[in-house]
Amino acid sequence: MITSSSQTSVAVFALVILHAGALDTFTAAVYEHAVLLPKETETPVSRDDALLLMNKNIDILEKAIKQAAEQGAQIIVTPEDALYGWKFSRETIFPYLEAVPDPEVGWIPCQDPHRFGHTPVQARLSCLAKNNSIYVVANIGDKKPCNSHDSRCPPNGYYQYNTNVVYDMTGQLVARYHKYHLYSEPQFDVPEKPELVTFNTTFGRFGIFTCFDILFHDPAVSLVKDFHVDTILFPTAWMNVLPLLTAVEFHSAWAMGMRVNLLVANIHHVHLNMTGSGIYAPHAPKAYHYDMETDLGRLLLSEVELRPRDSPTYPAAVNWSAHASAFRPFPGRKNTFKGFISRDAFNFTELSENAGNLTVCQKDLCCHLSYRMSRKEENEVYVLGAFTGLHGRRKREFWQVCTMLKCKTTNLTTCGQPVETALTRFDMFALSGTFGTEYVFPEVLLTEVHLSPGKFEVLKDGRLVNKNGPSEPLLTVSLFGRWYTKDSHFISGGISNLETTNLLISTLLMIIALQIL
């Protein structure tokens, strides 16, 4: 028989256990937003007209924020460019900008909206966080006055930044991040150096960056490796590029490769191939959304582990080249051919049989594939490809990629072109490569651009393998490597035009001086 005091002790113990269990996870939300865009103009609109558009977009975000809070979400991420779109010059973006102070000032815009000038957008976002007791992550434009004596100061006397802001449950500004790696954004300036922004909550340690930043070491990798964040917040306006860089494909792979939670909110604009948001854990996607059929936004919610590193399901560290470097390549084949994914020249070899073992190499990267198809479709062709080198037209980022992919048609010249549907299933696949980098992101993409949670895994020796039976029809199986130390280091976008001009002038003066001497 249990005494009342014992019963009380048991009850208290049970409550402690339940409370501890509750603290193991939190509820996250992301919202894919179909942004209302301004009319195209070469002349700046009035501040009132800019506010009118931004408030219309915030009206939509407000419904999502309230809905997320009602369903128990503690934090919600909204997309990059969600308040006004993306097609601007430096002049036409200016009416949409507000001064965003350093979070160290301890500011709650909802309570003191005029402390840093006219800031109605920040006040409204702050009030949405405060009134719904939820952390709100938003993307806005920041303006910072600069001195005309500063050689970097733009002609209008302001630095203009693509900026993420985070408001806590009291409405206080707790984080501000200026995007460093701009992508065709002449309206914005590049900060002097990458900002490494983190903040702590009762449900984990967070880091934040924006869109194109994810493809670079700083700030993305540094936040995970050096600052040990549990979760990355990622507003983006991501244009999907098959076969390797659709949003859901690459972002889920990055979370797995970096072994961190990643909360992704993308813009929804199907005419520009913008869709694909998700809540990604280190071992698998928790929730994701990809929709090229409708013009509707979408709210996603999921339970996420507070500190994934402490979880028994946390993936082990991977030696990405261990397996591939430990044995001789499979017997060579004479039908290796060149093909392109975007502007990158891959070496390909065809999967001509229902099953086999293949190797294809490019320079010092060799990609090995063992596979068995459930049935080989006569009208579908798959290839194994390898690429190592500086990527694309700009030749800035050093990629190492091993990929098995479906060609667009049976004509081998179409291998590497975008394709969205497939019929071929695989009973088994195992892909590995002799990577020179530790940063490799495993991608598996199914027909109609779907992910494959629970159907593949990465072994500690670097093999990407299927599990739990035959796959659904496959578009790609890839190991996407980034060798950051081999990047060609150029500053990106915005203010770089001014700096490039100054650099050219300085260089010419030095050459003239040397010739005189």
Side-chain angles (χ1 to χ4, degrees):
M1 183 176 178
I2 301 175
T3 65
S4 61
S5 61
S6 298
Q7 288 176 329
T8 302
S9 298
V10 170
V12 169
F13 180 72
L15 285 172
V16 169
I17 295 296
L18 287 171
H19 183 64
L23 290 178
D24 289 341
T25 64
F26 69 97
T27 302
V30 300
Y31 182 65
E32 181 162 310
H33 175 47
V35 59
L36 303 177
L37 298 171
K39 294 179 180 178
E40 289 191 26
T41 176
E42 296 181 1
T43 305
V45 300
S46 68
R47 173 64 173 167
D48 287 343
D49 285 346
L51 282 173
L52 182 64
L53 177 70
M54 288 191 284
N55 277 313
K56 287 180 179 178
N57 278 299
I58 296 175
D59 288 343
I60 300 171
L61 299 183
E62 179 175 1
K63 294 177 183 177
I65 291 167
K66 287 183 175 180
Q67 185 180 349
E70 288 168 357
Q71 295 183 51
Q74 288 138 292
I75 189 167
I76 183 170
V77 183
T78 62
E80 178 186 25
D81 299 332
L83 301 190
Y84 43 66
W86 47 84
K87 194 171 183 180
F88 294 97
S89 65
R90 288 189 60 85
E91 293 73 27
T92 56
I93 192 66
F94 197 79
Y96 296 87
L97 308 180
E98 293 185 358
V100 183
D102 190 314
E104 290 186 2
V105 300
W107 182 41
I108 301 177
C110 186
Q111 295 179 350
D112 191 2
H114 302 293
R115 181 177 170 188
F116 295 97
H118 188 55
T119 56
V121 171
Q122 292 174 83
R124 189 169 179 195
L125 293 171
S126 168
C127 289
L128 284 175
K130 180 177 182 291
N131 295 340
N132 293 283
S133 298
I134 186 172
Y135 278 73
V136 172
V137 182
N139 179 262
I140 66 176
D142 183 14
K143 59 182 180 181
K144 290 284 176 284
C146 52
N147 194 316
S148 59
H149 298 297
D150 176 1
S151 61
R152 297 175 65 250
C153 185
N156 71 339
Y158 285 90
Y159 291 121
Q160 301 175 180
Y161 298 118
N162 180 331
T163 306
N164 294 335
V165 289
V166 183
Y167 302 96
D168 70 10
M169 294 179 182
T170 70
Q172 181 169 325
L173 178 68
V174 294
R176 178 195 67 187
Y177 170 74
H178 295 134
K179 183 180 179 182
Y180 187 73
H181 297 283
L182 301 180
Y183 192 91
S184 299
E185 299 172 68
Q187 67 270 37
F188 292 123
D189 298 310
V190 179
E192 193 171 352
K193 60 183 179 180
E195 298 173 354
L196 300 170
V197 176
T198 67
F199 62 97
N200 294 312
T201 73
T202 57
F203 49 96
R205 181 171 173 81
F206 290 80
I208 189 166
F209 51 80
T210 313
C211 202
F212 198 38
D213 289 325
I214 201 171
L215 282 166
F216 298 87
H217 188 277
D218 292 330
V221 173
S222 290
L223 285 174
V224 180
K225 290 289 187 179
D226 301 331
F227 289 79
H228 307 292
V229 298
D230 303 305
T231 301
I232 293 291
L233 308 171
F234 186 60
T236 186
W238 191 279
M239 295 182 184
N240 292 299
V241 182
L242 286 161
L244 299 175
L245 283 175
T246 64
V248 296
E249 171 189 27
F250 181 70
H251 300 155
S252 61
W254 193 89
M256 184 173 285
M258 294 304 300
R259 300 187 296 158
V260 70
N261 296 327
L262 180 66
L263 310 185
V264 180
N266 198 7
I267 286 290
H268 190 83
H269 194 291
V270 295
H271 298 298
L272 290 178
N273 291 324
M274 287 179 172
T275 182
S277 301
I279 298 171
Y280 305 113
H283 58 280
K286 306 289 284 186
Y288 75 94
H289 174 67
Y290 179 92
D291 170 25
M292 286 291 289
E293 302 299 322
T294 76
D295 294 323
L296 303 176
R298 180 68 176 269
L299 177 67
L300 299 177
L301 293 96
S302 179
E303 291 292 311
V304 181
E305 288 180 322
L306 250 73
R307 294 176 177 82
R309 290 179 182 83
D310 298 335
S311 168
T313 63
Y314 190 60
V318 176
N319 183 335
W320 289 103
S321 63
H323 177 79
S325 301
F327 69 97
R328 293 182 180 179
F330 296 123
R333 299 184 56 178
K334 296 181 180 179
N335 63 343
T336 298
F337 63 96
K338 288 193 180 296
F340 286 86
I341 296 181
S342 297
R343 296 173 182 264
D344 297 329
F346 278 66
N347 289 346
F348 287 127
T349 188
E350 184 182 354
L351 281 61
S352 56
E353 307 294 335
N354 280 11
N357 301 298
L358 297 175
T359 294
V360 65
C361 299
Q362 186 175 100
K363 299 177 184 176
D364 55 354
L365 176 66
C366 286
C367 303
H368 308 303
L369 174 70
S370 297
Y371 72 95
R372 184 174 65 253
M373 298 177 185
S374 303
R375 185 185 68 177
K376 190 175 190 304
E377 300 288 337
E378 290 185 6
N379 63 341
E380 294 192 337
V381 170
Y382 285 78
V383 293
L384 173 65
F387 171 77
T388 182
L390 292 171
H391 158 69
R393 173 179 52 84
R394 300 179 309 161
K395 303 294 183 185
R396 287 182 54 200
E397 308 103 51
F398 198 98
W399 288 13
Q400 286 195 312
V401 180
C402 292
T403 182
M404 180 189 78
L405 57 82
K406 184 200 166 191
C407 302
K408 187 172 185 179
T409 71
T410 56
N411 186 332
L412 294 180
T413 62
T414 68
C415 297
Q417 294 180 17
V419 57
E420 295 187 7
T421 59
L423 296 172
T424 302
R425 302 169 189 265
F426 285 74
D427 290 329
M428 184 273 288
F429 60 79
L431 179 66
S432 62
T434 56
F435 291 96
T437 174
E438 64 178 293
Y439 301 106
V440 179
F441 311 112
E443 302 180 338
V444 176
L445 195 64
L446 304 179
T447 185
E448 298 181 345
V449 194
H450 288 298
L451 298 181
S452 187
K455 297 287 286 183
F456 71 93
E457 63 182 330
V458 176
L459 305 182
K460 289 191 288 185
D461 62 7
R463 281 177 290 170
L464 172 55
V465 302
N466 71 306
K467 66 176 185 178
N468 297 331
S471 71
E472 294 298 312
L474 283 171
L475 293 178
T476 63
V477 175
S478 306
L479 292 169
F480 185 109
R482 279 287 285 116
W483 201 336
Y484 301 109
T485 56
K486 287 198 170 189
D487 283 1
S488 177
H489 294 286
F490 294 104
I491 202 162
S492 61
I495 202 169
S496 60
N497 295 330
L498 180 62
E499 291 190 328
T500 300
T501 302
N502 291 338
L503 181 61
L504 287 172
I505 293 171
S506 300
T507 303
L508 286 170
L509 290 173
M510 287 177 65
I511 292 171
I512 293 168
L514 288 170
Q515 288 175 341
I516 292 172
L517 292 173

